[in-house]
Amino acid sequence: MNQKIVFRALSLALLFGWSSSNVTLAQVAAPPEQVAEVANDSAAVMMKDFSGETAAEKADRMKWFNDSRFGLFIHWGLYAQPAGVWKGEDVKGIGEWIQSNGKIPTKDYEPLMKIFNPVKYDAEQWVSLAKRAGMKYIVITSKHHDGFCLYDSKYSDWDMGGTPYKKDLLKPLAEACRKHGLKMCFYHSILDWHHPHWGIKEEWQGNFTNEKPDMEIYRTYMKNQLHELLTNYGDVGIVWFDGEWGDCWTHEMGIDLYNYCRSLQPNTIVNNRVDKGRRGYAGMTASTEFLGDYGTPEQSIPQTGFGEGVFWESCMTMNDTWGFKSKDENWKPNEKLIRNLIDIASKGGNFLLNVGPTAEGEIPAASIERLEAIGQWMEKYSESIYGTRASPLDRNSWDGRCTRKKTASGTRLYFHLFEWPADGVLNIKYLNSEPAAATMMGTAEALKVSGEPGDWKIQLPASAPDKIASVLQVDIAGSLDVEPYRIQADESGKLVLAAGEAVLKGRSIRLEKKKNKLDNINQWSDLGDRVLWNINVAKAGKYRPMLKYSCEDQAAGSVVEFQIGKSTFSHTVAKTGTWADWKTVQLPEVEFVAGKSQVVIQPKSLVKTGIMNLVSVVLEPVE
Ligand code: FHN
């Protein structure tokens, strides 16, 4: 059964003693009551199962996303009205969470609908700005956690239809995106503080409903609204779910919702917050059992990429809030934002950069300035971002990053120089292929290349063309031959394989670098995740591997396979107490011949949530 929630406007006038954009609240809407049913459009959708999609088919579907590298996130809604201030008091935290952080009862929050009137909204202006910035897609909040819809939904009156503005805010944006060739995408919150049937109620909401939550009713409501979003606005590039963390939302519901969205638009992309596999703000998916087409690191950039076929997008704010806050002036500098874009692209990810428009419908001037500055950089260098793939180099022997792109004759490498070498020479290590040509992007001058495989030197022009990031393009003919970074023995003859020197392969595994904490590899929760070090053994002979790690007692017992040089053996991870209790254990002796080799740790069984947190493997020579 479906409810059309109807508000009966009461003539209560509540003055909250605050004003935002010169509007003082006068009128309130009554709490929602459930009345007549409306059509259940979601029931009419022929559900398909997409579990059989091949990696090649997925890569094809994801290609526009993977080539785009850069999108605009828009957090907009009623929360822009108070803009971080409630009854004259600053409310801490991100602006779109004001209802929760300010413990604002639903009955006191609902009147915002009666004054939300974005008369200065200009979708054409927003899309033109995003395009100038070099963005290829726009993700806008169709509904955030407060449940308020930025369009006039058939299934609720907690939407634009109840505002003085009345009009759909999404439609003009979709039309402008189509006109300018950007993909229109919708953020949609699974969590809904306003709907009586969302399964988790908060104290601060007050008793705004007499209903006992029924998640089946809520799921039908949500699917009906997604039916509106996926049938009324043309092609939808991405459905960007969020708010999936509550216990009332299950893995099974995530699978159903993923398949529902793609049953409506088979080529749409659905992020990993549709299901339960997202690993916190690190954002990647714990294992392949969970759905979602890509990982969503939040306010962070992973240490490394995750290899071909693992798609991801870092979403970030320009200041400290997603939704507009009138007093948040902590804006990130242009340099930081541009270098974030480059860093993310060099690891094979996308950058989703957020703006929080005001209640009147304006993007803050500080956001506009930053988007224009990014656009000026992209105007010169977007070729080194669009359609590129992650750097082939384990390390950067210069201050900057590298991206790559296939060409008809081989590969073009783009070296982003954050600092200009004092001696004017760019030293490129770990590249064996000889550069066939080297020029600064935007110029025709062929630069002099000298050196040898694994240690090339390129004579740069006298000064940096761009103070934030100059770009050198280097063409490689034929196949690309790179040399991994190899750990050498220290003066005592030990080979110290530290967490920070490892190559991490997988979907959730990551390096944790925290002040006052040992760098360690953690979030090791997928059997497909493995750790690898490339080494150079100067002295042949026997070595004693010493493993330094932690593993909480209830997670102990996972089995890993060590491949050390020519030796392979299994090891069962023993408990150390907690994840913060580090222990060192001796592993079976191994024998190396001199030369290049590898150490690989491959999980074979997983007892609970994590294999282990790993600090290092030290290979001690046996006298
Ligand atoms: O709770 C939301 C938050 O308001 C914001 O929308 C971010 C953006 O990714 N997502 C959630 C926090 O992880």
Side-chain angles (χ1 to χ4, degrees):
M1 182 182 67
N2 221 4
Q3 283 72 35
K4 179 175 176 58
I5 294 177
V6 178
F7 290 95
R8 278 200 312 273
L10 292 180
S11 59
L12 282 177
L14 280 176
L15 290 184
F16 283 86
W18 54 254
S19 72
S20 168
S21 56
N22 307 320
V23 176
T24 303
L25 178 66
Q27 192 66 28
V28 297
E33 289 193 1
Q34 296 161 23
V35 280
E37 285 191 16
V38 289
N40 175 356
D41 293 330
S42 66
V45 175
M46 182 61 71
M47 289 288 279
K48 301 185 189 82
D49 175 349
F50 294 87
S51 55
E53 183 179 55
T54 66
E57 288 166 337
K58 178 177 178 180
D60 191 44
R61 177 166 58 92
M62 298 293 293
K63 189 175 184 319
W64 75 261
F65 174 84
N66 204 23
D67 286 345
S68 294
R69 290 286 175 258
F70 193 27
L72 179 67
F73 212 171
I74 303 176
H75 276 70
W76 198 24
L78 298 184
Y79 40 77
Q81 198 70 53
V85 180
W86 193 259
K87 295 185 180 178
E89 296 294 321
D90 288 350
V91 178
K92 288 195 176 8
I94 45 185
E96 69 285 1
W97 271 72
I98 190 167
Q99 199 186 350
S100 171
N101 297 335
K103 302 204 180 312
I104 303 168
T106 300
K107 289 191 177 68
D108 294 348
Y109 188 81
E110 285 174 339
L112 291 173
M113 178 172 75
K114 292 300 178 189
I115 59 172
F116 185 57
N117 192 13
V119 292
K120 294 181 179 173
Y121 174 46
D122 181 340
E124 172 68 21
Q125 193 186 68
W126 289 14
V127 174
S128 304
L129 172 64
K131 186 171 187 175
R132 283 199 306 279
M135 294 163 153
K136 294 288 191 182
Y137 58 103
I138 294 179
V139 181
I140 185 167
T141 46
S142 60
K143 180 193 86 164
H144 203 266
H145 307 334
D146 64 0
F148 183 78
C149 306
L150 265 59
Y151 68 105
D152 187 358
S153 168
K154 211 162 77 173
Y155 304 96
S156 169
D157 281 348
W158 181 232
D159 61 21
M160 287 307 293
T163 68
Y165 190 79
K166 296 229 175 293
K167 290 177 287 184
D168 180 344
L169 299 174
L170 304 180
K171 185 72 86 176
L173 197 70
E175 287 161 357
C177 281
R178 216 175 348 269
K179 174 183 167 190
H180 290 281
L182 276 72
K183 289 277 189 182
M184 175 74 172
C185 311
F186 293 122
Y187 169 111
H188 199 75
S189 177
I190 292 169
L191 160 62
D192 190 317
W193 290 324
H194 193 273
H195 197 283
H197 289 292
W198 170 250
I200 298 170
K201 290 293 170 279
E202 309 289 349
E203 186 74 27
W204 51 261
Q205 287 169 301
N207 57 345
F208 74 98
T209 173
N210 302 321
E211 293 285 343
K212 185 174 173 306
D214 178 331
M215 276 300 281
E216 287 317 298
I217 293 176
Y218 179 70
R219 288 173 66 203
T220 302
Y221 167 74
M222 188 166 60
K223 286 163 83 171
N224 277 330
Q225 290 200 325
L226 286 161
H227 187 272
E228 293 179 309
L229 295 170
L230 288 160
T231 51
N232 299 339
Y233 297 90
D235 282 348
V236 173
I238 300 167
V239 187
W240 211 100
F241 286 107
D242 201 7
E244 83 286 6
W245 48 81
D247 291 344
C248 64
W249 187 255
T250 67
H251 175 44
E252 291 66 31
M253 294 174 184
I255 292 172
D256 176 65
L257 193 58
Y258 176 90
N259 286 325
Y260 177 73
C261 292
R262 289 199 58 203
S263 297
L264 282 166
Q265 291 202 20
N267 288 327
T268 195
I269 292 171
V270 181
N271 76 349
N272 69 344
R273 302 190 185 191
V274 67
D275 196 350
K276 303 293 282 188
R278 171 177 59 128
R279 303 289 310 219
Y281 287 126
M284 299 308 285
T285 308
S287 73
T288 49
E289 74 171 283
F290 298 104
L291 289 191
D293 295 319
Y294 70 88
T296 52
E298 182 169 324
Q299 301 285 37
S300 65
I301 301 172
Q303 200 75 21
T304 63
F306 301 91
E308 279 299 306
V310 179
F311 305 96
W312 56 279
E313 169 198 72
S314 277
C315 57
M316 284 188 185
T317 55
M318 283 193 197
N319 49 10
D320 293 329
T321 178
W322 302 93
F324 178 65
K325 285 187 83 173
S326 54
K327 298 183 180 179
D328 182 338
E329 295 298 343
N330 188 27
W331 300 99
K332 297 178 179 80
N334 300 337
E335 177 181 289
K336 176 71 180 161
L337 297 173
I338 292 169
R339 290 183 179 180
N340 280 351
L341 172 61
I342 296 166
D343 183 24
I344 290 166
S346 77
K347 295 164 180 172
N350 283 22
F351 188 24
L352 188 62
L353 182 58
N354 183 75
V355 295
T358 66
E360 293 180 290
E362 293 187 295
I363 293 175
S367 298
I368 294 174
E369 282 160 29
R370 282 154 181 78
L371 290 174
E372 298 287 13
I374 296 168
Q376 284 157 19
W377 187 86
M378 284 293 272
E379 207 165 333
K380 293 189 287 184
Y381 299 120
S382 63
E383 181 196 319
S384 73
I385 301 292
Y386 296 146
T388 62
R389 296 297 177 260
S391 169
L393 305 176
D394 269 356
R395 310 242 141 169
N396 304 314
S397 52
W398 70 99
D399 185 353
R401 296 296 184 269
C402 173
T403 56
R404 69 184 151 107
K405 196 178 282 188
K406 278 203 179 318
T407 61
S409 59
T411 301
R412 174 163 288 180
L413 298 176
Y414 299 94
F415 293 88
H416 300 86
L417 311 181
F418 295 167
E419 297 305 325
W420 201 249
D423 61 0
V425 174
L426 176 67
N427 183 210
I428 302 173
K429 292 184 179 301
Y430 316 116
L431 172 65
N432 292 331
S433 304
E434 179 167 9
T439 55
M440 293 313 296
M441 271 192 79
T443 72
E445 182 194 355
L447 300 178
K448 180 172 174 292
V449 177
S450 60
E452 61 190 20
D455 191 10
W456 299 109
K457 294 173 173 40
I458 297 181
Q459 186 62 51
L460 299 174
S463 61
D466 188 284
K467 63 182 184 335
I468 291 179
S470 305
V471 182
L472 168 76
Q473 66 186 43
V474 171
D475 287 328
I476 304 292
S479 63
L480 184 62
D481 176 14
V482 295
E483 179 62 32
Y485 166 73
R486 293 187 180 283
I487 293 166
Q488 315 285 339
D490 62 19
E491 60 284 350
S492 69
K494 286 180 188 171
L495 286 116
V496 179
L497 315 185
E501 313 261 274
V503 177
L504 305 182
K505 302 272 187 193
R507 305 165 68 95
S508 66
I509 193 169
R510 66 191 191 100
L511 176 68
E512 180 182 60
K513 289 172 79 80
K514 277 190 176 156
K515 271 205 285 290
N516 314 322
K517 189 172 178 184
L518 291 172
D519 289 359
N520 71 96
I521 292 163
N522 67 28
Q523 305 285 358
W524 198 353
S525 60
D526 190 349
L527 289 179
D529 291 359
R530 69 183 194 281
V531 178
L532 175 149
W533 291 274
N534 290 293
I535 62 177
N536 195 33
V537 179
K539 182 170 174 287
K542 287 189 183 214
Y543 287 79
R544 182 186 309 114
M546 304 299 286
L547 168 65
K548 183 168 187 173
Y549 77 102
S550 73
C551 183
E552 72 173 9
D553 290 358
Q554 55 266 44
S558 300
V559 176
V560 294
E561 181 181 79
F562 277 85
Q563 300 152 23
I564 303 182
K566 299 268 186 280
S567 309
T568 300
F569 57 85
S570 290
H571 172 74
T572 301
V573 180
K575 62 187 179 185
T576 65
T578 71
W579 291 115
D581 296 325
W582 306 105
K583 271 196 179 145
T584 299
V585 295
Q586 180 176 325
L587 302 175
E589 274 184 11
V590 295
E591 186 144 12
F592 281 109
V593 296
K596 295 176 182 176
S597 191
Q598 267 192 356
V599 173
V600 180
I601 309 176
Q602 174 69 57
K604 290 299 180 189
S605 72
L606 174 64
V607 164
K608 201 166 173 277
T609 53
I611 298 285
M612 67 173 108
N613 288 352
L614 189 151
V615 171
S616 64
V617 175
V618 176
L619 300 171
E620 299 175 345
V622 176
E623 301 309 328

